[in-house]
Amino acid sequence: MSDTTAPESSPVLNWPAPVRRVIDTLALLGHPHNPVMLDDAARTAQQAADALGVALGQIAKSIIFRRKADDVAVLVVTSGDLRVDEKKVQALVCADGGKLSRADAEFVKARTGFSIGGVSPVAHALPPVALIDKELFRFDTVWAAAGHPHAVFRLSPDELVVLTGAPVCDVTVVATQELPHG
């Protein structure tokens, strides 16, 4: 497990602005756990899990989609070991056959205020439509990005619901089991 630096041991003023925004939002919402800075970047769920010494599924990854009808960001928070089913998300957030698309880095930065690899589930520049995957509830504790590829914070899935106000949904790809040949 990589060493982490808590905000108390490093002046918050020296932290990147997006991380300070997350710190302020968490404090405002009464969340008990401050972000920590990892020694190594955690741009992927696997990198974050490795740095924290936790299961891949305990990484609450934030995926941003673009709702085409109104150009709104759609935030899906899911377990790091699962893939988002875009059709399920589309059915939940797009009316009358509307479509979703993957968001590019420019759209993500403009709508969330975060760069890909550090998108927090809270403190977005513009409020997204948000969904939380029910599979996160397999774990008591999960870790989410805190505005920077080196910054993460600890929370429970229930706390994630409270912090985001997002509904809990089934938004992941169902694993198919191969049948034996013969």
Side-chain angles (χ1 to χ4, degrees), residues 4 67 72 74 78 81 119 123 134 141 162 176:
T4 57
R67 190 165 61 187
V72 167
V74 176
T78 188
D81 61 342
V119 176
K134 68 181 181 69
T141 300
V162 170
T176 56

Side-chain angles (χ1 to χ4, degrees), residues 45-182:
Q46 187 64 63
Q47 289 171 335
D50 291 347
L52 292 164
V54 300
L56 180 58
Q58 287 181 269
I59 303 304
K61 64 182 178 182
S62 294
I63 308 294
I64 300 292
F65 293 95
R66 181 182 213 154
R67 190 165 61 187
K68 291 183 179 182
D70 55 6
D71 220 29
V72 167
V74 176
L75 166 69
V76 178
V77 185
T78 188
S79 289
D81 61 342
L82 299 174
R83 285 189 24 239
V84 173
D85 185 330
E86 195 171 328
K87 290 185 187 312
K88 287 181 180 179
V89 174
Q90 187 170 283
L92 291 167
V93 302
C94 295
D96 300 324
K99 300 290 182 191
L100 281 181
S101 66
R102 291 274 178 173
D104 63 19
E106 184 179 325
F107 180 87
V108 171
K109 182 73 170 179
R111 295 305 191 280
T112 69
F114 305 118
S115 296
I116 292 174
V119 176
S120 172
V122 299
H124 286 229
L126 297 171
V129 171
L131 303 172
I132 297 171
D133 182 33
K134 68 181 181 69
E135 294 300 324
L136 280 168
F137 288 81
R138 297 176 292 160
F139 304 98
D140 293 331
T141 300
V142 296
W143 291 82
H148 186 276
H150 286 259
V152 295
F153 68 100
R154 180 174 54 136
L155 70 166
S156 71
D158 286 323
E159 288 169 329
L160 181 61
V161 171
V162 170
L163 292 172
T164 63
V168 177
C169 307
D170 173 10
V171 294
T172 55
V173 173
V174 176
T176 56
Q177 195 172 12
E178 282 192 37
L179 298 174
H181 296 291

Side-chain angles (χ1 to χ4, degrees), residues 33-58:
H33 304 292
N34 282 322
V36 295
M37 291 295 267
L38 303 173
D39 290 338
D40 298 314
R43 284 183 170 78
T44 68
Q46 187 64 63
Q47 289 171 335
D50 291 347
L52 292 164
V54 300
L56 180 58
Q58 287 181 269

